[in-house]
Amino acid sequence: SRCVQDVLEDVYRKIEQDTTTTGSTSSSTTLPFSPPSRIPSPPQIQNAVIHEICELIGISKTLRQQTPSELSPSENYRFGLVIATLQSIVPTIIVTSSSSYTTTMKTSSKVVVDDSKGHKDKDGDKDDDDDDVMIIHIPSPLLLLDEWMDFETSTVIQRVEESLLQLCTQAGAIILCATHKPHLFAKQHSHHRTITLCRGEILSDTCFPLPPQLSSSRMIKVM
């Protein structure tokens, strides 16, 4: 069986292929504009994005070397959450560079998260050298979870819920979760808006305070 990392790389490539196919138009269709062409991302870009999302959601490098069948129930849910997040963000990822897109990059990749105060490397040092650097602008994910974990145990849900919270607070994700068991998602209510429906009618609509430093998007560098 293939490991999680290999599966995620295939998913990334498939999303890009589907985006290219969707963006193309037949000769019988007339549009007032030309849809942009999608250039397949180099492996460095793909791996940097996959690594960033996996670390954010809680799929470590060690777990990514395992097969999906070897993951625990909560790890499998987080694995599915990574795939859903990639499906949301990959079509609209923007890559910029100080040089051309086809610049030959170093074989080793270094991911730097932009905290709006300057670029820092993994050691926390300022990094002002932007020569031949790929800047990856990751948009905020938009996810719809329809009764996603209604039949799971509260223990599994609590472990996965932390990943959902990370997506909201660190990546600015908008997550719509439809559930028949809202009490199972009560741990992080301070970050939720809860709408209760019954037969299509709104019974209640409760808003809770947003976290103080809610991120709107993420940006990483590949050097």
Side-chain angles (χ1 to χ4, degrees):
S1 299
R2 309 186 69 200
C3 68
V4 168
Q5 178 69 28
D6 290 341
V7 173
L8 292 176
E9 290 175 5
D10 283 348
V11 167
Y12 197 111
R13 287 190 290 268
K14 181 66 165 57
I15 295 170
E16 287 198 319
Q17 291 172 2
D18 290 346
T19 302
T20 302
T21 302
T22 304
S24 63
T25 58
S26 62
S27 57
S28 61
T29 303
T30 302
L31 294 176
F33 61 90
S34 298
S37 59
R38 180 79 183 188
I39 303 175
S41 301
Q44 292 94 328
I45 300 296
Q46 296 179 13
N47 290 333
V49 173
I50 290 173
H51 173 82
E52 181 74 7
I53 299 304
C54 283
E55 290 297 312
L56 186 66
I57 291 176
I59 298 294
S60 65
K61 187 175 181 180
T62 300
L63 289 178
R64 297 201 295 273
Q65 301 309 310
Q66 299 181 15
T67 63
S69 62
E70 294 175 321
L71 301 178
S72 69
S74 62
E75 290 166 352
N76 256 305
Y77 274 107
R78 292 199 292 269
F79 172 46
L81 195 58
V82 171
I83 292 177
T85 301
L86 290 176
Q87 290 172 331
S88 176
I89 67 174
V90 168
T92 52
I93 282 178
I94 298 175
V95 180
T96 58
S97 175
S98 57
S99 56
S100 66
Y101 188 84
T102 56
T103 297
T104 302
M105 293 184 291
K106 301 175 182 178
T107 55
S108 60
S109 296
K110 181 170 72 171
V111 177
V112 181
V113 178
D114 177 27
D115 61 356
S116 300
K117 297 179 182 178
H119 301 301
K120 296 181 180 180
D121 60 22
K122 62 182 178 180
D123 298 319
D125 299 326
K126 289 287 183 179
D127 186 1
D128 297 323
D129 183 7
D130 287 340
D131 293 337
D132 297 335
V133 174
M134 292 293 184
I135 308 296
I136 311 172
H137 304 265
I138 301 181
S140 299
L142 174 60
L143 306 178
L144 172 60
L145 308 180
D146 188 7
E147 301 180 25
W148 189 43
M149 293 188 292
D150 275 16
F151 300 98
E152 273 301 337
T153 64
S154 58
T155 302
V156 171
I157 291 177
Q158 288 173 7
R159 291 174 179 173
V160 179
E161 194 174 19
E162 183 62 31
S163 298
L164 297 177
L165 180 62
Q166 284 291 102
L167 278 175
C168 290
T169 57
Q170 301 300 317
I174 297 176
I175 301 176
L176 306 178
C177 181
T179 177
H180 292 287
K181 300 179 179 179
H183 61 283
L184 295 178
F185 294 86
K187 178 182 177 183
Q188 302 294 348
H189 257 180
S190 61
H191 304 98
H192 289 169
R193 175 181 179 183
T194 301
I195 301 175
T196 303
L197 301 173
C198 181
R199 298 179 181 177
E201 295 185 3
I202 297 178
L203 300 182
S204 64
D205 185 353
T206 307
C207 295
F208 299 90
L210 292 173
Q213 295 180 339
L214 188 66
S215 173
S216 59
S217 62
R218 293 177 74 81
M219 185 171 73
I220 58 179
K221 290 199 302 184
V222 178
M223 306 177 68

